[in-house]
Amino acid sequence: MASQVRPAPNLAQSPQPRQMPPQPPVAGQQFPPHPPQPGMQVPPPQMQGSPYPPQPGQQPGQQYLPQQYSTQQQGQQYPPQQLGQQYPPQQQGQQYPPQQQGQQYPPQQQGQQSLPQQFSPQAQEQHDQGDHAHHARRRLYPQQMAAAYSAPPPAAVPSAQPGQGGYIVPGATDGITQQMGNMSLGQETYMQPEQTEVLSGRPDLTDLDTAVPEVRLPPGTACVGASACDERVQRVTLGAIPRTDRLLRKTRLPLGLMITPMASEAPEARDIVRCRRCRSYLNPYVTFVDGGRRWLCNLCGLRNDVLLSMDYDKEANMQIDRWQRADLRSAVVEYVAPVEYMVRPPMAPSVVFVVDVSHAAVQSGAAAAASRAARDALQQMGDADGRAQVGVIAVDSSLHFFCIRAGAESQQLVVGDCDETEAWLPAPNDLLVNLRECYAEVDTVLENLPTSGRGGVGCVLGAAIRAAQKMLTTGGRIVTVVASPPTGTAARVDPAATELNSWYKTMAADFARAQIAVDTVFVGSHLGEASVACLARYTGGSVLQYSELVGPETGRAVAEIAHMVSVPVSMESVLRVRASRGLRVSSYYGSFFLRSMDLLALPAAPPAHSFAAEIAIDEPLPPVVFFQSALLHTTAQGERRIRVATLAVPTTDSPHTVFSAIDSRAVATLLAKKAADRVLTARVADAREALMHKTLEIFGAFKTECTKAASGAATQLQSPRSLRMLPLLTLATLRHPALRASSTERPGERTADIAHVLSLPPELLLATLVPRMFSLHDLPPEAGLPDPATGQVVLPPRRGLSAEELSPRGMFLIHGGSDVILWVGRDADRALVHSLLGTTEVRSGIIALPDLSQESGFELNKRVNNIMRQISAMCYQVWAPLIMVCPEDGAPHVRVKLAQRLVEDMDPGAPSYTQLLAQMRDKINRGNF
Amino acid sequence: MSSLVVIMLTDLECDYINPIDLANTLNTYVMPEMAAHLVMFVVFLLMGEWFTVVINLPLVAWNINKVVNNRQFYDATEVFRTLSKHKQENFFKVAFYLLCFFYYLYSMIMTLVNESTDDIRSGSAY
């Protein structure tokens, strides 16, 4: 379809056609009382008796809008800048005349599409669009969508069109007429050449930093001036969703939604308004009908009565403007929940530290690190209202409880005979104490924690978390630091066993119900991580893993654990995802307990946790579909709040449009999450194969559906522009530690990596999949310094991730979010090295980058520190990465690490990027993959 | 028993019960059901009811296989993923038990009828 859109020679003179599709069926004007008549002036009956009689300037049939918007002429429902392309409102009133099924659109009516008068109010009044034209426009819709997607960016639009938005396609006048002609002939069209791309050579990594492709909606879908959903909060893999399941299966693309509820700030909305039937919340995409007395739910289409409280403030006794409501102006809002949303008073933030103090833990430094991290965390926690509660349990072969009283020395109670089935607490109270009252005492207990054990062997983790559960009567978090394999009876984990101990899964289900989240930190490997990590996976907890704690690594572990504990999490939360009729969430990925088909129970929801939902299409979809996620949670301040985010996505019938509007990074994220999930139940090799197969299928489907060489052999791999990064991202996913094929991967690390892939938001996951490589020897002058305009540190340009880029004279920083590698060439400028590290000696190994910003002459150090901080901030401060220094002739283990991060190059487990492209091309040409 | 399972799984789908309760309730019946079936199977075997043994053999094998692989219990955390499988399996079981019940009833009546006709033939009824 897209190829028919050609620039019109007379574009400057001819006004734009009525490009936009009719309002989606959920719009309010579906059933005007009369068939449209020329110059229709009589208000339709549903306006009669309206408490808000139309203003003089208002046109009949238009939606109710408050007075101040009526001065904006006819386009009240739309953002002012889009006025030029709106339907005149009286046409809205006529959009859906009583359906005349089967009516054919006579070709001679096409001319009406581009009637030139539609921008002047006079013209609107005399303008008549017959039933035929309505049908025509309706039918045109998918093609128009296609045209809009494949159009050149709005910059190319001639300036003769004032108020031009991003939707109108230049020359679409001709395009539409031709589309109509072609449609009747049933001609197959292909994507425009500029939409497809031949994949060869090296990928352009700057694509990974470009803005997320905007979801283009028909104008008028949202309320006036409403902001769209932040893509960090909700991101959909396909910018245009196939209308039918058949088309979705044909394109082989994964349809999914990435939800990170707490990723951005949200304005606070007043009272909660919900649909009576589907219980969705009021959002900018609802339509007011019947003169503003009802609102039409955009998810289920039910007409709900508008509550009086939306227009009138009883307490202040004054009229209020409903269009100023935050939930009509912003797609992401937060409500303060009233009592009906609580089953009990909001819980206090409570933490119980369960720390392994066995001989192994003390030896490895885990106990000391945990003690420091816990003290730092309590300091950072900023318990403003003095509600936070803390408890400590030390574990070896027995349980050590601490009875803490303000102003008194705390007492250590040792329980030797412990059992997982029934917890027994040695003291009825004083085990979980108020942090503000007993800060000094808790701090002392934590300080002495590493020496509190008697160097015993074993770690009765099961009994300890049972005891912690009993302490946390109202729920909270359990932070476990484990450095030796759990012992005991039911909770015993044999480190050598491949089978999971299901006791932890059962416990996780119990914890989810009791609103307890478990964060697990492993120090060392072969600790039965796969079993124990279930506690975190099903309770919304986090998993951290450190192979060993030596030198700077202790500092890193302390910083990361302290951040994990002290970051404000949403407690006792539930997340519900609602979607338009015809859509169904088929599976979820992330760290949660699935309580029913569409309800995720999250005892804790850290801001950096994301949830992916895979979506299935059950029945043909309307032109625009909506996803609404609502997170009901308790903040650290003890407020019960509801975070609601609504995303609108257009649908289409054309595979071309689907392929041109893919968000390849979201697709890669979803595929990575699916692959990681598969590793949990199947072999790694199966997961890798499935991922590769899926990528091949997508490109194969594109070739069959959208290119001229549908069945024949192509010399090169063709890709839609939107998908060109997918092969690289797939390659990077295959090399991610969670999916790496090599047998050297330790089981513990794999567990933590899988947990990361499953729970990280797309931006963070991409940062770990495809590292950023910067050359430090030729930094642009502005890089590493704050941008005067935004205050954000400017990142240097990204380099390709290949050994070809590494020049012996240079210095390179490879930042993968959680790990950083500094590569120093053989002939690197020593002065530059000194300026970065404060020394000219370069030895392979892990260092913490010194902060030399106080001293002069270390310009590069300051800038690199700024860059590292900036990337950390972009990654929600989840990681406090260390730098692995890798000289050109460095130690082999360091060079192996470097090779693993250069994702374009060949690796024992994965082909190089060019090899991958060749393999893909051959397999797709052969048609078997 | 299986019909109870089916009803509860449907309830779960409609969000009437939560998965933890479901797993707790159903798991208490899993082993007794299997044991009862196995006992019946052994009785048939001892009685030499070869045809009955053969039709019950697949289910016994299926159950033993599940127990050996430790997959017999319902997992609250995974139940939604396996919901359709569980439902299918239990629908099948319901049908199987129902058919078996009527077959046993038929066999019992046949046995009784045969016994009485034998009695008539031997003349002991008179």
Side-chain angles (χ1 to χ4, degrees), chain A residues 269-343:
Chain A
R270 284 177 67 248
D271 48 350
I272 297 171
V273 179
R274 301 177 71 174
C275 171
R276 253 184 307 127
R277 182 163 64 196
C278 67
R279 308 300 293 148
S280 64
Y281 295 81
L282 192 70
N283 60 68
Y285 305 103
V286 302
T287 322
F288 285 92
V289 292
D290 292 357
R293 282 172 302 160
R294 299 233 174 96
W295 60 275
L296 202 64
C297 171
N298 54 337
L299 279 116
C300 70
L302 185 77
R303 283 166 181 244
N304 291 280
D305 289 334
V306 167
L307 301 175
L308 188 66
S309 62
M310 278 173 76
D311 292 315
Y312 192 77
D313 188 348
K314 259 189 215 154
E315 281 157 27
N317 206 10
M318 57 189 280
Q319 201 89 13
I320 45 174
D321 179 8
R322 74 167 72 146
W323 297 97
Q324 296 303 323
R325 287 178 67 97
D327 46 6
L328 287 178
R329 296 190 66 86
S330 166
V332 186
V333 287
E334 193 159 80
Y335 298 99
V336 176
V339 203
E340 298 89 74
Y341 292 82
M342 304 177 204
V343 284

Side-chain angles (χ1 to χ4, degrees), chain A residues 321-612:
Chain A
D321 179 8
R322 74 167 72 146
W323 297 97
Q324 296 303 323
R325 287 178 67 97
D327 46 6
L328 287 178
R329 296 190 66 86
S330 166
V332 186
V333 287
E334 193 159 80
Y335 298 99
V336 176
V339 203
E340 298 89 74
Y341 292 82
M342 304 177 204
V343 284
R344 55 176 191 178
M347 60 188 263
S350 317
V351 184
V352 172
F353 293 97
V354 174
V355 180
D356 184 357
V357 292
S358 64
H359 182 69
V362 174
Q363 283 296 308
S364 65
S371 132
R372 246 180 72 199
R375 293 174 65 200
D376 287 0
L378 295 186
Q379 204 178 2
Q380 291 165 19
M381 225 145 75
D383 174 28
D385 43 4
R387 295 164 69 245
Q389 292 177 301
V390 187
V392 184
I393 303 176
V395 193
D396 50 13
S397 50
S398 47
L399 295 182
H400 307 255
F401 294 90
F402 297 90
C403 214
I404 303 166
R405 281 189 205 93
E409 200 171 325
S410 40
Q411 211 181 344
Q412 183 174 343
L413 307 169
V414 183
V415 178
D417 177 27
C418 35
D419 182 19
E420 292 101 357
T421 49
E422 190 54 59
W424 179 77
L425 297 182
N429 41 27
D430 296 334
L431 294 177
L432 188 70
V433 296
N434 185 293
L435 176 60
R436 183 179 281 181
E437 288 166 12
C438 307
Y439 181 81
E441 291 77 12
V442 173
D443 197 55
T444 319
V445 166
L446 286 171
E447 192 180 355
N448 299 328
L449 198 60
T451 52
S452 59
R454 302 203 177 102
V457 286
C459 167
V460 283
L461 185 68
I465 57 171
R466 270 284 197 190
Q469 181 191 16
K470 205 161 185 188
M471 280 159 69
L472 292 166
T473 45
T474 59
R477 298 170 79 189
I478 302 177
V479 180
T480 59
V481 180
V482 183
S484 46
T487 53
T489 47
R492 206 183 97 80
V493 183
D494 181 3
T498 51
E499 208 167 87
L500 293 186
N501 183 344
S502 61
W503 184 84
Y504 289 95
K505 244 182 184 181
T506 321
M507 281 311 294
D510 278 0
F511 283 175
R513 180 182 247 184
Q515 305 293 357
I516 295 172
V518 186
D519 297 302
T520 51
V521 181
F522 300 105
V523 180
S525 53
H526 298 290
L527 307 172
E529 289 93 341
S531 298
V532 180
C534 285
L535 286 174
R537 189 178 326 128
Y538 296 111
T539 60
S542 311
V543 182
L544 293 176
Q545 202 272 341
Y546 304 95
S547 308
E548 47 180 3
L549 295 178
V550 283
E553 295 210 36
T554 313
R556 176 201 179 159
V558 168
E560 289 181 357
I561 299 170
H563 176 80
M564 177 183 81
V565 178
S566 63
V567 72
V569 297
S570 312
M571 294 171 293
E572 48 178 353
S573 26
V574 285
L575 176 73
R576 198 184 282 276
V577 184
R578 292 182 176 88
S580 291
R581 203 186 310 165
L583 293 170
R584 175 176 51 88
V585 179
S586 54
S587 50
Y588 294 92
Y589 304 98
S591 173
F592 54 79
F593 179 75
L594 194 58
R595 209 160 67 191
S596 82
M597 296 300 266
D598 58 349
L599 189 71
L600 312 186
L602 307 161
H609 270 202
S610 175
F611 308 93

Side-chain angles (χ1 to χ4, degrees), chain A residues 212-248:
Chain A
V212 175
E214 193 185 341
V215 173
R216 297 190 191 184
L217 291 171
T221 312
C223 291
V224 188
S227 63
C229 188
D230 191 329
E231 81 274 347
R232 286 175 301 171
V233 177
Q234 279 194 356
R235 191 164 171 179
V236 69
T237 55
L238 308 181
I241 293 178
R243 188 161 303 169
T244 55
D245 186 42
R246 206 166 137 256
L247 181 58
L248 179 65

Side-chain angles (χ1 to χ4, degrees), chain A residues 62-81:
Chain A
Q62 76 187 56
Q63 297 173 5
Y64 158 72
L65 277 139
Q67 211 166 339
Q68 60 269 40
Y69 282 89
S70 63
T71 55
Q72 294 184 354
Q73 288 194 9
Q74 67 275 29
Q76 296 89 336
Q77 208 204 343
Y78 309 115
Q81 70 274 16

